[in-house]
Amino acid sequence: MYEFEFARPATVADAVQALTAEEAQALGGGQTLIPTLKQRLASPSVLVSLSGIAEIKGICQTDEGLLAIGGGTTHAEVAEGAGAYPALAALAGQIGDPAVRNRGTIGGSLANNDPAACYPAAALASNAVIVTHAREIAADDYFQGMFTTALEEGEIITEVRFAVPEAANYQKFLQPASRFAMVGVFVAKYFDGVRVAVTGASEEGVFRWREAEAALSANFSPDAIAGLSVAQEGMIGDIHGTKAYRAHLVGVMTKRAVSAAR
Amino acid sequence: MTKVTMTVNGRPMSGEVEGRTLLVSFLRDTLGLTGTHVGCDTSQCGACVVHVDGKAVKACTMLALEAEGAEVATIEGQAAADGTLNAIQAAFQEHHGLQCGFCTPGMVMSAAALLKENPKPTETEIRHYLEGNLCRCTGYHNIVKAIMAASGQDVSSIAAE
Amino acid sequence: MPKDIDAKESGIGAATKRREDIRFLTGTGNYTDDINVNGQAYVAFLRSDVAHGRITSIDTAAASAMPGVLRVFTGADFEGVGGLPCGWQVTDRHGQVMQEPGHPVLAQGKVRHVGDPIAAVVAETAEQARDAAEAIDLEIEELPAVIDMKAALQDGAPKVHDDLTSNLCYDWGFVEENKDAVAKAFDAAAHVTTLELVNNRLVANPMEPRVAVGDFNRATGESTLYTTSQNPHVIRLLMGAFVLGIPEHKLRVVAPDVGGGFGSKIFHYAEEAFCTFAAKALNRAVKWTSTRSEAFMSDAHGRDHVTKIELALDGDNNFTALRTETYANMGAYLSTFAPSVPTWLHGTLMAGNYRTPLIYVNVKAVFTNTVPVDAYRGAGRPEATFQLERVIDKAARELGVDPIALRRQNFITEFPYATPVAVEYDTGDYVATMDKLEEIADLAGFAARRAESEKAGKLRGLGVNCYIEACGIAPSNLVGQLGARAGLYESATVRVNATGGIVVMTGSHSHGQGHETSFPQVIAEMIGIPEHMVEIEHGDTANTPMGMGTYGSRSLAVGGSAMVKATEKIIAKAKKIAAHLMEASDADIELKDGKFSVAGTDKSVAWGDVTLAAYVPHNYPLEEIEPGLEETAFYDPSNFTYPAGAYACEVEVDPETGKVTIERFAAADDFGNIVNPMIVDGQVHGGIGQGIGQALLEGCVYDENGQLLSASFMDYAMPRADDLPFYQVDHSCQTPCTHNPLGVKGCGEAGAIGSPPAVVNAVVDALRSGGKDVMHIDMPLTPARVWAAMQG
């Protein structure tokens, strides 16, 4: 790692202030950022840890009936405490491994927007609201391609709000080495339609499979998408699987998610 | 350099560290607790698993300064004061759950975290929980068996009879 | 484990719990990275990020001026220093010795693989060394790289080494005289089965990365190297004599607790030589700790063969001839034992467990711009087993016969058996291990299990195969004729103390195998004393006799035999002392349960009385024998040992995704006699884990420019607990080795050798059961590959 200053503010306001320093960077759970720093692929001047900020931790129901999860809430805490949204809790319980889940946070994952991360699929399929210290961003506007989001520099995710669907499920097909999603599909059925978000597969990062959404909104059953497939073009092709394979898996995982949706 | 203070295996410890000093470096290099190992640089292998405030974490993927004020437990603190192995350690010896020993501290610490959450895990649950702990020697057979035995389950009928 | 063996409480055959576990379980092991020498500095290597290039300039001024930097070393500092030696010279089918390029410690003018070390910075801290390594101003003119072996042999291909005539290291034929007869047999065959396959490139990845600490004592002129090695004496010899010019008495090599090796820690590496060299140059201890990412591009890789194999059968399905052509990747340099792996550790095993009268093996070893390739668990024998057992399976399918029956029909059944590939199997019983396998794997129940899987929408397959290996490496005079530049004996000193306790100093090295537990079992059995009276010391050249270390499943067969020989000398001398004490003839002295008695009388003296007399020789035959009780023996085996067995794997394949899961795995092995069945089980488990890893998960992949695509655990898939099942293992079939005193054969590599073909055979069987016309899929059988194969 390159040398950096370390700050661990206790409030969002102090963190925002600390992040105004040149080349300052926020540190969530660090489960992606610290390995990146070890490889010397990033060189912040100041690392601002968000782990000491109590106000961005925890899970609650909002007055509007939304499930609100603090940006600093760990995957393990979501897996344990988001019972109101079982598919989301189950997804959190599949991220990384137990030790990673004890450190990694939902805010950190969404801010990083790794193209193979799990949370972006849930957030996009639920059209979650990404709340920062400055504003609220709808998931549909938030994800802008791999490792790219609507966040401004120094903007901190303080909360993520989910409308709990009637039924939902996440199916994750593992990349055998990293155990990130080679293809992960989150299907969420709301009263006004079905949303399908796919992670791991596309060079553009998480995306909505709108053709499947339309078919499933009309008929929420695996058969509804039997003839559908995503285009191979734009899929990731690498040593773990070709573009064609990932496109195929999107279909299989979507069907399975629909079958398993509760 | 910044002073960091934490409780390690029940004893208050402190030392001077840089911002970039990892918890595992603080334990190994500053405190001389070399039982916690480093086997990779991508947070995959789990040789460095310790408990921070009662939860399993990878000490190679946490800054020492983030553990300020925390309760840290390492492999060195697992046996009784007189050296008697705890139930998990004893089961690992009894069932040959280790060979070269390098992954063992992380395995034992992960197993301890598992049994705290789930006192009677099934084979499948154990294998799944060990997703973040790599062992290259044992093929995992005897590790899984040892953890089942440590949880009080009868392992006499597992394979190899 | 068989109950009769399990029942024994101590000595040979007892499942004694491992004493070394206590320190490993309490965090008090002493691995190389746990060693810190007062005042040590740290080194960081600047490594090539291109596969092939010419260093046009290297400016270290800025780096040298960085905080904490003690010195920056480049290739120029090593111009007068020897290169890393190769320990085996292969002679090719035309009588030519192999092409042998230099292997500098730091690059001399050219870089030849990603990871090739170019410069080294020694600084006060590891991070300062890394900071400064990045500040070295380096210019490299990138050259076209050769990655594919067949392309590397084309006319006009870029040459990895400008001073060699081509990228061909050697073109080996074995047995060359059989070539024409083999061709004739193929012409006369009723059926020929041909298979082209790849034995995938692997990275050993012991969980402990390599570490080296060099130290120098100016007062004594002695250098010390602490290193993660399977064979400290070999490192002392190679580095002392060939690289740095330090005589053995001024060089101590210590390999303390070592966190796994699997072959990758046999070899002498540049970093070890560098740390020893730099410690002397700077008069400071110098430490290097590899990161895992660095390990992927600096540890020797394994396997990487491309093979065409052909099997000829007569009209009765008897094997009549076998012919192979293999391209073996050497990487950019010859690692320590690289040339021997695809030749003498591979060609000699091509008979397998079968009576094939005529065999011809051709191996072309090729230089490429990749990390050097050398021995990895099994080393040559997994490659031989894989191709042979896959081609037999394919032949059975082509002929419409049961693959087990085809194997049984062609088994060698009489021993000793001289194969057409120059080795003589002393003992074995392949029918017995196959019978045992059918029992423990419950093959009779397979059809019902398949039906259950099909009900759940899964395809189920069964794969069975045999294996044989040559272990207990190796007769020195024989390997000398074959090109080895070393002897392959082992040594032991048995030191009996005055009060009867024993310390054994062995040249074998334990890095997970449990020698500290199993070796005392042997001595306890021989003398009749408790195991706890015996301690094992190993790993430090300062206090152990010259030994060749641990690899090739040799520790007990060769190192254990040396220990037995030394103990026999101890017992012979002790009997003389006992005879004197009891005023009897030494021919009448019997040793049992730690007591010497005079045959036919009730006179006896205890072990401790005799050992005390040896060191307090008041009443002692000083005119006949010396005081003291300490003996050394060197043991050189007269043949290899030949463990063999039969393995079965059952898989389920998800027809929608191609994902393979291992449902059952069984191994029936014949390791000859067994000292500690618990440890043997563990060795087999671990080998199977690695073999399944090779078959399903692991693959080291380069792109066409020589960039390593599987450069960390994020892309190189290591087997995890949930990738693997419980294994049924059995070693109750025991045909003892006839030529070593323990009758042992070795068990360390069997699992890794026997398991990959079982997995692939099973997957092919599953797919065919689902109506897919698939005959072969190259490893690793990732979901993507299996799915692609199913698409036709």
Side-chain angles (χ1 to χ4, degrees), chain B residues 37-102:
Chain B
H37 296 153
V38 179
C40 80
D41 45 10
T42 52
S43 307
Q44 305 258 307
C45 83
C48 66
V49 168
V50 300
H51 295 184
V52 175
D53 292 331
K55 293 190 185 308
V57 305
K58 292 184 166 173
C60 80
T61 314
M62 180 172 179
L63 299 173
L65 288 168
E66 292 230 287
E68 172 67 36
E71 295 269 350
V72 177
T74 72
I75 188 68
E76 285 90 347
Q78 295 298 295
D82 70 351
T84 305
L85 300 182
N86 73 17
I88 295 170
Q89 291 169 314
F92 268 67
Q93 186 189 30
E94 176 70 22
H95 297 284
H96 192 27
L98 64 151
Q99 291 181 25
C100 82
F102 196 80

Side-chain angles (χ1 to χ4, degrees), chain C residues 461-652:
Chain C
L462 168 67
V464 171
N465 63 271
C466 302
Y467 78 91
I468 185 154
E469 51 170 332
C471 298
I473 293 172
S476 293
N477 54 1
L478 173 63
V479 297
Q481 290 167 30
L482 305 181
R485 290 163 168 161
L488 286 168
Y489 51 84
E490 196 46 86
S491 64
T493 295
V494 175
R495 175 178 296 160
V496 183
N497 294 312
T499 58
I502 294 174
V503 181
V504 180
M505 286 138 286
T506 169
S508 293
H509 184 277
S510 183
H511 33 278
Q513 296 88 344
H515 297 172
E516 292 168 40
T517 298
S518 58
F519 279 27
Q521 291 180 245
V522 174
I523 293 192
E525 178 87 21
M526 291 177 75
I527 299 175
I529 54 176
E531 291 166 14
H532 68 73
M533 288 180 66
V534 186
E535 287 292 333
I536 302 298
E537 283 192 9
H538 67 94
D540 185 345
T541 61
N543 62 15
T544 54
M546 173 73 182
M548 296 307 290
T550 289
Y551 40 82
S553 307
R554 71 191 302 270
S555 291
L556 198 57
V558 189
S561 295
M563 181 177 69
V564 168
K565 295 284 181 192
T567 306
E568 284 170 350
K569 292 186 196 178
I570 292 284
I571 291 171
K573 183 171 178 181
K575 281 183 174 175
K576 286 199 169 82
I577 301 168
H580 180 87
L581 293 176
M582 293 186 282
E583 297 175 338
S585 158
D586 35 302
D588 295 334
I589 303 296
E590 291 169 351
L591 171 61
K592 190 162 182 276
D593 296 336
K595 208 158 72 174
F596 295 91
S597 54
V598 182
T601 75
D602 59 358
K603 280 204 281 187
S604 71
V605 287
W607 168 252
D609 297 329
V610 171
T611 61
L612 189 66
Y615 289 95
V616 188
H618 297 164
N619 175 17
Y620 195 87
L622 283 167
E623 61 286 355
E624 286 173 50
I625 51 175
E626 298 167 5
L629 204 47
E630 174 166 330
E631 299 288 349
T632 295
F634 284 72
Y635 176 80
D636 204 291
S638 61
N639 190 357
F640 293 89
T641 62
Y642 299 96
Y647 283 28
C649 176
E650 276 181 44
V651 298
E652 269 189 0

Side-chain angles (χ1 to χ4, degrees), chain C residues 184-475:
Chain C
K184 281 197 188 110
F186 270 90
D187 290 343
H191 183 85
V192 173
T193 295
T194 303
L195 182 61
E196 295 190 37
L197 51 81
V198 172
N199 203 288
N200 40 329
R201 178 184 273 245
L202 302 177
V203 182
N205 279 322
M207 291 322 301
E208 178 202 32
R210 288 191 295 119
V211 181
V213 185
D215 192 15
F216 180 68
N217 183 331
R218 184 143 320 267
T220 62
E222 189 188 58
S223 294
T224 300
L225 170 68
Y226 302 91
T227 186
T228 47
S229 176
Q230 301 175 216
N231 32 234
H233 290 94
V234 174
I235 303 306
R236 185 183 65 166
L237 180 66
L238 294 177
M239 185 175 80
F242 296 96
V243 187
L244 301 179
I246 310 172
E248 286 94 327
H249 67 288
K250 293 292 184 192
L251 177 58
R252 175 183 169 206
V253 177
V254 185
D257 286 331
V258 171
F262 315 112
S264 69
K265 292 173 181 170
I266 298 171
F267 323 120
H268 177 39
Y269 287 99
E271 296 87 358
E272 297 170 318
F274 177 83
C275 289
T276 310
F277 178 89
K280 188 172 181 181
L282 296 167
N283 197 29
R284 291 275 296 269
V286 174
K287 181 172 191 172
W288 173 71
T289 301
S290 177
T291 63
R292 182 61 59 184
S293 299
E294 209 172 4
F296 270 96
M297 55 180 167
S298 66
D299 288 8
H301 294 173
R303 314 281 193 262
D304 204 354
H305 287 192
V306 175
T307 294
K308 178 183 177 186
I309 180 166
E310 300 164 281
L311 176 65
L313 302 95
D314 67 16
D316 298 323
N317 296 340
N318 297 308
F319 303 163
T320 57
L322 186 75
R323 180 163 59 194
T324 74
E325 182 186 31
T326 288
Y327 293 81
N329 207 333
M330 294 286 104
Y333 304 98
L334 290 179
S335 176
T336 310
F337 290 112
S340 67
V341 174
T343 51
W344 300 108
L345 294 175
H346 165 251
T348 50
L349 275 304
M350 284 311 310
N353 311 56
Y354 311 103
R355 285 185 319 265
T356 310
L358 287 162
I359 297 175
Y360 179 70
V361 177
N362 175 236
V363 178
K364 297 173 181 73
V366 186
F367 294 111
T368 60
N369 292 112
T370 63
V371 169
V373 181
D374 205 329
Y376 166 59
R377 200 171 195 168
R381 291 150 288 171
E383 295 90 323
T385 301
F386 184 70
Q387 52 185 288
L388 180 61
E389 295 294 330
R390 284 290 301 126
V391 81
I392 292 172
D393 229 58
K394 188 177 179 207
R397 292 185 190 288
E398 288 175 350
L399 295 165
V401 300
D402 174 52
I404 296 176
L406 181 62
R407 286 179 169 87
R408 284 181 178 274
Q409 175 184 342
N410 285 281
F411 274 159
I412 295 161
T413 52
E414 287 175 15
F415 297 87
Y417 177 82
T419 72
V421 276
V423 291
E424 184 175 285
Y425 303 160
D426 56 344
T427 55
D429 188 344
Y430 309 145
V431 174
T433 44
M434 184 60 88
D435 288 348
K436 178 55 74 174
L437 179 77
E438 295 202 21
E439 174 199 327
I440 63 170
D442 182 28
L443 296 193
F446 172 70
R449 292 190 293 272
R450 171 175 273 176
E452 279 300 305
S453 296
E454 285 172 353
K455 256 191 251 170
K458 299 284 173 63
L459 303 175
R460 195 176 188 107
L462 168 67
V464 171
N465 63 271
C466 302
Y467 78 91
I468 185 154
E469 51 170 332
C471 298
I473 293 172

Side-chain angles (χ1 to χ4, degrees), chain C residues 141-164:
Chain C
E141 175 202 343
E142 198 171 344
L143 300 169
V146 284
I147 306 304
D148 179 76
M149 286 190 277
K150 290 178 184 172
L153 295 181
Q154 299 281 317
D155 286 343
K159 284 199 289 182
V160 178
H161 295 276
D162 300 332
D163 54 336
L164 303 186

Side-chain angles (χ1 to χ4, degrees), chain B residues 18 20 22 28-29 32-47 75-79 83-86 88-105 107-108 123-124 126-146 148 155 157-161, chain C residues 1-3 17-22 24-29 31 33-36 125 127-128 131 202-209 257-260 262 287 291-294 376-377 440 511-514 678-683 685-690 693 698 712-714 716 718-730:
Chain B
E18 292 183 305
R20 62 181 169 181
L22 294 165
R28 286 181 56 82
D29 303 334
L33 295 171
T34 56
T36 302
H37 296 153
V38 179
C40 80
D41 45 10
T42 52
S43 307
Q44 305 258 307
C45 83
I75 188 68
E76 285 90 347
Q78 295 298 295
T84 305
L85 300 182
N86 73 17
I88 295 170
Q89 291 169 314
F92 268 67
Q93 186 189 30
E94 176 70 22
H95 297 284
H96 192 27
L98 64 151
Q99 291 181 25
C100 82
F102 196 80
C103 78
T104 307
M107 284 289 177
V108 169
E123 178 201 345
T124 303
I126 293 170
R127 290 185 184 275
H128 186 62
Y129 196 89
L130 295 180
E131 187 167 10
N133 290 82
L134 297 178
C135 168
R136 195 57 155 165
C137 292
T138 64
Y140 302 99
H141 182 112
N142 285 338
I143 290 175
V144 177
K145 192 174 171 183
M148 291 179 80
V155 295
S157 64
I158 291 173
E161 65 269 15
Chain C
M1 60 191 72
K3 295 219 162 28
K17 305 305 168 207
R18 299 203 323 169
R19 57 179 77 177
E20 46 271 78
D21 289 359
I22 304 298
F24 297 144
L25 282 163
T26 54
T28 51
Y31 297 89
D33 194 41
D34 302 340
I35 293 172
N36 294 297
T125 73
E127 291 289 3
Q128 285 173 336
D131 290 343
L202 302 177
V203 182
N205 279 322
M207 291 322 301
E208 178 202 32
D257 286 331
V258 171
F262 315 112
K287 181 172 191 172
T291 63
R292 182 61 59 184
S293 299
E294 209 172 4
Y376 166 59
R377 200 171 195 168
I440 63 170
H511 33 278
Q513 296 88 344
M678 176 192 80
I679 288 175
V680 169
D681 283 350
Q683 290 292 307
H685 295 160
I688 294 171
Q690 290 182 3
E698 300 178 40
S712 78
F713 289 155
M714 295 294 278
Y716 186 93
M718 293 281 281
R720 289 172 164 88
D722 61 1
D723 292 315
L724 300 168
F726 282 128
Y727 320 104
Q728 298 283 144
V729 303
D730 181 281

